[in-house]
Amino acid sequence: MHREARRGVVTSAARQEGQATACALITGASRGIGAAVARRLARDGAGVIIHYRSAAELADAVAADCLALGARFAVTVGADIRVPGEVAAMRASLARSGMMPDILVHSAGTAHYGLLEDLDEDEWDDIQHVHLKAAYSLAKHFGPAMSWNRRGRIVHISSVWGIVGAAGEAAYAAAKGGLNSLTKSLARELAASGVTVNAVAPGVVETDMLAELAPDEREALLREMPLRRFADADEVAELVRFLTLGDAGYITGQIVALTGGWRM
């Protein structure tokens, strides 16, 4: 069920002249890459809307961090973005609060490790809904306002597996591949309105999603990395910051890989 946008912590003072005026909605921002993105945009003075599905306390902690880092404001909003109706309700809540975003970062995600023959249909559907159907719903409900204002930045957090495929992660790779194609299509649709749409496709990132890997699997992956390390979530966030708050207004429709040289 959708939860109204709420100020889980006291909002920051009004921004100083010259600070960023952007308002950013980041999905899946209670942890991992989404939380890192929220903190990074906060450092530039953007207002941040921290979406979560069930981890309200973690989202509140991220909001507190964002305010301490200089965010113009930091609010949390709960919604199951797999359900289009909840995305619509989230949009209505933000509009009532005067916090319609001009930056949208879709970072929420889930994964399944295992052979396709062992993957239940419900699990397949869930992965597609979190990554791909949610991106459709978010663009449908937040894209028109960006087009009307002739200003907006949309960034999807994709994956290198959406480019090269992955044995044992067919559903995840398929969802990210679809997300890459949606990115390019949306970029074409929204370009005339001055809205850019890009995807960031990391390789292996040190987040909770790596917890399912056995030590020998981690070591095997590391041996394939030219830089001999996994990415940090903050490095992904830095690229997102460039695409949203940086001088990237002429970049659109791109799937930008961040892999440490892996799968060149």
Side-chain angles (χ1 to χ4, degrees):
M1 180 180 295
H2 164 72
R3 275 79 68 187
E4 288 280 331
R6 62 194 186 90
R7 298 174 189 264
V9 287
V10 178
T11 58
S12 63
R15 63 182 179 275
Q16 298 298 312
E17 185 176 356
Q19 285 187 302
T21 59
C23 174
L25 167 63
I26 306 106
T27 69
S30 64
R31 57 170 65 93
I33 291 173
V37 169
R39 294 186 183 104
R40 181 61 189 89
L41 299 186
R43 282 168 52 194
D44 276 5
V48 291
I49 303 162
I50 297 154
H51 161 265
Y52 67 94
R53 183 167 68 91
S54 57
E57 291 185 2
L58 290 178
D60 283 346
V62 175
D65 289 345
C66 288
L67 289 177
L69 289 167
R72 179 163 57 99
F73 61 80
V75 300
T76 63
V77 59
D80 186 344
I81 59 173
R82 297 171 299 182
V83 182
E86 293 213 17
V87 177
M90 179 170 64
R91 183 208 181 280
S93 172
L94 294 174
R96 285 194 299 270
S97 301
M99 292 184 292
M100 283 295 288
D102 50 15
I103 293 172
L104 170 62
V105 181
H106 179 34
S107 180
T110 186
H112 171 88
Y113 300 96
L115 297 176
L116 184 65
E117 65 186 53
D118 299 322
L119 181 67
D120 293 336
E121 185 175 344
D122 287 345
E123 291 176 305
W124 171 277
D125 288 344
D126 187 59
I127 291 169
Q128 307 309 312
H129 288 172
V130 171
H131 295 282
L132 188 52
K133 185 175 182 179
Y136 146 77
S137 296
L138 290 162
K140 184 178 180 67
H141 290 290
F142 291 99
M146 293 183 184
S147 294
W148 180 260
N149 292 326
R150 305 193 67 79
R151 182 181 68 183
R153 301 284 183 265
I154 298 174
V155 175
H156 297 138
I157 303 300
S158 183
S159 169
V160 67
W161 280 280
I163 301 172
V164 302
E169 293 187 76
Y172 181 81
K176 293 301 194 183
L179 187 60
N180 292 343
S181 292
L182 178 63
T183 297
K184 293 176 178 290
S185 298
L186 281 175
R188 289 183 178 275
E189 284 194 20
L190 299 178
S193 299
V195 178
T196 66
V197 188
N198 294 288
V200 172
V204 185
V205 184
E206 286 283 9
T207 66
D208 293 345
M209 291 180 72
L210 279 188
E212 295 187 38
L213 290 181
D216 59 329
E217 293 174 317
R218 286 178 61 95
E219 286 301 317
L221 274 175
L222 278 172
R223 286 195 295 271
E224 295 183 33
M225 304 286 175
L227 289 182
R228 293 295 187 270
R229 67 176 179 84
F230 298 146
D232 185 272
D234 289 338
E235 293 175 303
V236 182
E238 193 65 40
L239 180 52
V240 174
R241 184 266 170 203
F242 172 69
L243 292 171
T244 56
L245 294 180
D247 297 326
Y250 203 62
I251 300 174
T252 195
Q254 301 305 301
I255 315 301
V256 186
L258 186 79
T259 66
W262 187 48
R263 305 293 175 91
M264 292 189 201

